[in-house]
Amino acid sequence: MSTLAPLRLLREPWNASEGNQSNATVGASGGWCQGLDIPNELFLALGLVSLVENLLVVAAILKNRNLHSPTYYFICCLAVSDMLVSISSLAEMLFMLLLEHGVLVMRPSIVRHMDSVIDMLICSSVVSSLSFLGVIAVDRYITIFYALRYHSIMTLQRAVVTMASIWLASTVSSTVLITYYRSNTILLCLIGFFLFMLVLMLVLYIHMFALARHHLHSISSHQKPPTAHRGGSLKAAVTLTILLGVFFICWGPFFFHLILIVTCPTNPFCTCFFSYFNLFLILIICNSVIDPLIYAFRSQELRRTLREVVTCSW
């Protein structure tokens, strides 16, 4: 147990016979197919950084009444979701270290049960993180294109229903995934959900970028100073540009891993790709570190509140 092993159920393909899988592994055993030996300390460090960052975001939003709005509630939920990744990684790390050093002695059945619980937390975080990323993109889209009707469209009641529905769906879906992880249908649903969120944010990005470009052209043509609405659209377009790049880099390899499990479990190239599973998990944890920088720290009001929280200026 030299490396962190969450989501063990998705690490190796199950839809291949043992003989075929071993033959593929032998055939693909050269060079870069050995994978990366990522130290546990790196998982621990990233998990701690992510946990502190997202705790600060949650504390700042709860502290400042000016941030008690649907937009910041969604950001708060995203921070909580990212915290699940951190907590799960830290719990897995601590659990493994205690077992390795003989401090904790447990029956194998209990160890498997604890591992499944941690896997369920991570799966729930995956679904909820993707969902809140999409909701935040939609919320900002409404802010830009329906600014005058925003408060009637995104009411507090609708925001609460949306948040409760996402948490309920993520809990149910993670339970189903862990229970029926051998079903390709379940994995295809998860892959389809990821692709849907990617396409959704891509469409919103293109539309908002087109609006921002139109405003820039209008400003240069008429030499008019940018209005608050135009400035908001430009800032939102930049945010979504960063979002899409980070989203694809951090989540793409993990879901490509799932696609290969379904489509080519015995192919030598796929077998090589499977050996880098821990790297894909590192990227997911990095996403939980970067999310506060994209969604939270770009807000001047939230940055001011964060400084007050850090300096204990309550």
Side-chain angles (χ1 to χ4, degrees):
M1 290 178 110
S2 59
T3 57
L4 192 64
L7 288 181
R8 55 174 170 70
L9 304 178
L10 302 180
R11 176 183 297 275
E12 299 291 346
W14 59 84
N15 49 348
S17 65
E18 184 176 351
N20 290 337
Q21 186 174 342
S22 61
N23 290 336
T25 303
V26 171
S29 60
W32 66 277
C33 297
Q34 300 301 318
L36 292 177
D37 185 15
I38 300 177
N40 288 338
E41 290 76 13
L42 181 57
F43 283 94
L44 180 62
L46 289 176
L48 286 173
V49 171
S50 172
L51 182 61
V52 171
E53 277 188 356
N54 288 287
L55 274 175
L56 288 175
V57 171
V58 173
I61 293 175
L62 294 178
K63 176 184 182 295
N64 191 340
R65 296 184 63 86
N66 293 332
L67 301 178
H68 292 181
S69 64
T71 297
Y72 286 102
Y73 286 152
F74 294 145
I75 292 176
C76 184
C77 286
L78 178 63
V80 173
S81 181
D82 287 337
M83 283 170 56
L84 286 179
V85 175
S86 306
I87 293 172
S88 301
S89 299
L90 293 175
E92 181 95 5
M93 164 68 76
L94 180 61
F95 189 55
M96 289 171 59
L97 289 178
L98 291 176
L99 289 175
E100 288 178 355
H101 291 83
V103 178
L104 184 64
V105 179
M106 304 178 69
R107 293 196 303 270
S109 59
I110 299 179
V111 173
R112 288 193 298 269
H113 178 72
M114 292 294 296
D115 200 19
S116 296
V117 171
I118 294 175
D119 286 345
M120 191 174 299
L121 285 176
I122 297 178
C123 289
S124 178
S125 175
V126 168
V127 176
S128 58
S129 293
L130 292 175
S131 300
F132 284 116
L133 285 171
V135 168
I136 291 172
V138 172
D139 179 77
R140 292 192 171 180
Y141 180 87
I142 297 174
T143 302
I144 297 302
F145 287 93
Y146 302 95
L148 299 179
R149 297 172 50 200
Y150 174 80
H151 293 291
S152 61
I153 296 174
M154 189 57 70
T155 62
L156 183 59
Q157 181 179 5
R158 288 177 179 172
V160 171
V161 170
T162 300
M163 291 184 289
S165 300
I166 289 176
W167 285 118
L168 178 61
S170 63
T171 302
V172 173
S173 60
S174 63
T175 304
V176 173
L177 176 61
I178 296 301
T179 304
Y180 301 102
Y181 72 95
R182 292 182 180 275
S183 172
N184 282 347
T185 303
I186 298 297
L187 277 190
L188 288 173
C189 290
L190 186 59
I191 294 168
F193 179 62
F194 167 77
L195 294 177
F196 170 77
M197 286 300 173
L198 180 62
V199 171
L200 173 65
M201 287 185 283
L202 182 61
V203 170
L204 295 180
Y205 160 74
I206 292 175
H207 198 184
M208 294 178 72
F209 183 80
L211 177 66
R213 184 178 180 181
H214 173 74
H215 284 168
L216 283 175
H217 180 72
S218 177
I219 292 171
S220 61
S221 299
H222 301 88
Q223 297 183 348
K224 294 181 179 179
T227 63
H229 180 265
R230 288 170 177 170
S233 65
L234 292 174
K235 184 176 181 180
V238 172
T239 299
L240 280 179
T241 303
I242 300 172
L243 156 71
L244 282 174
V246 172
F247 179 81
F248 185 78
I249 292 173
C250 292
W251 288 99
F254 173 75
F255 281 91
F256 187 57
H257 174 95
L258 300 186
I259 292 174
L260 295 185
I261 285 181
V262 175
T263 58
C264 59
T266 61
N267 184 277
F269 169 80
C270 300
T271 305
C272 286
F273 199 81
F274 297 150
S275 65
Y276 288 84
F277 187 76
N278 275 346
L279 175 61
F280 311 150
L281 295 180
I282 281 287
L283 289 175
I284 291 178
I285 298 176
C286 286
N287 184 78
S288 67
V289 173
I290 298 173
D291 275 345
L293 303 178
I294 298 177
Y295 295 102
F297 298 151
R298 287 176 61 83
S299 166
Q300 183 176 358
E301 179 76 11
L302 188 48
R303 288 199 304 270
R304 181 182 62 81
T305 308
L306 284 168
R307 285 194 294 268
E308 294 177 0
V309 172
V310 172
T311 58
C312 298
S313 302
W314 297 80

